[in-house]
Amino acid sequence: MPYLSNYKIFISHAWKYHDDYTRLVNLLGNAQLFSYSNYSVPCDDKFDKMSTSELREELRQQIRPVNCFLALGGVYMSYRDWIQFELDFANSLDKPIIGIKPWGNTNISSTVSSVAKDVVSWNTNSIIEAIRKYSI
C-alpha cells in the first residue's frame, strides 16, 4: 500500500452551525485512503470564557501549522467577523484556502471565493482532491 500523507487541516466554522462542521469531519474521517489531523477550534465552553484577544491568539495557534484551510461557505454572513479574521490570518500565512459550497447549494460567499484557491461542492472526492492538490 502506498504511503498516505497525514494532512493538517483547519476547518473554519461557527459553533452555532456545528452540524455542518460535524458532517464535514465525518465525511473526511470516513474517506478511503485519506488521513488528516483536525486543527480546528472545537466547540468548547472554555472558549466562551476567553477574551477576544485570547480567542484570536488561540485561532492563530490552530491555523499556523496547517497544510490547508477549509472554509464552509454557508456560515460566512452570520459570523463574518470571526471567519474574516480566520481567512485573513490564513491568507497572510499563504495557507491554501479551499471554499466548500454549503450542502445542497450552488453558491458560496464572494468573500470566501475571492481568497480561495478553489471552491468545491460538498462532495468527498472534490474536497479531498482539492486538499491533496493545494496543501503545502
Side-chain angles (χ1 to χ4, degrees):
M1 176 185 254
Y3 171 76
L4 294 179
S5 294
N6 185 58
Y7 297 94
K8 299 174 188 170
I9 297 174
F10 182 91
I11 303 169
S12 181
H13 65 287
W15 294 332
K16 182 177 179 181
Y17 293 92
H18 193 70
D19 290 345
D20 290 341
Y21 169 79
T22 301
R23 186 180 299 128
L24 180 58
V25 167
N26 289 336
L27 179 145
L28 294 174
N30 292 324
Q32 298 290 318
L33 301 175
F34 181 75
S35 177
Y36 83 105
S37 295
N38 187 348
Y39 280 69
S40 307
V41 175
C43 182
D44 189 320
D45 290 338
K46 78 175 185 177
F47 297 109
D48 289 338
K49 296 172 180 78
M50 288 184 174
S51 69
T52 299
S53 62
E54 290 171 327
L55 186 51
R56 285 178 188 258
E57 185 54 33
E58 181 69 26
L59 288 166
R60 288 184 192 104
Q61 294 298 327
Q62 298 298 115
I63 295 169
R64 276 187 185 101
V66 302
N67 304 116
C68 190
F69 181 104
L70 302 181
L72 295 174
V75 299
Y76 176 77
M77 292 313 292
S78 299
Y79 293 90
R80 90 176 108 205
D81 292 339
W82 282 112
I83 295 173
Q84 188 65 58
F85 171 79
E86 294 169 353
L87 288 169
D88 290 344
F89 187 68
N91 206 23
S92 76
L93 298 176
D94 292 324
K95 300 294 182 180
I97 298 169
I98 298 168
I100 301 174
K101 294 177 189 172
W103 174 257
N105 288 324
T106 57
N107 298 322
I108 190 169
S109 154
S110 61
T111 302
V112 172
S113 65
S114 69
V115 296
K117 290 271 190 195
D118 202 351
V119 174
V120 297
S121 297
W122 193 285
N123 171 286
T124 304
N125 292 335
S126 299
I127 296 168
I128 289 174
E129 182 179 314
I131 292 169
R132 287 182 172 142
K133 181 176 181 178
Y134 295 108
S135 284
I136 54 173

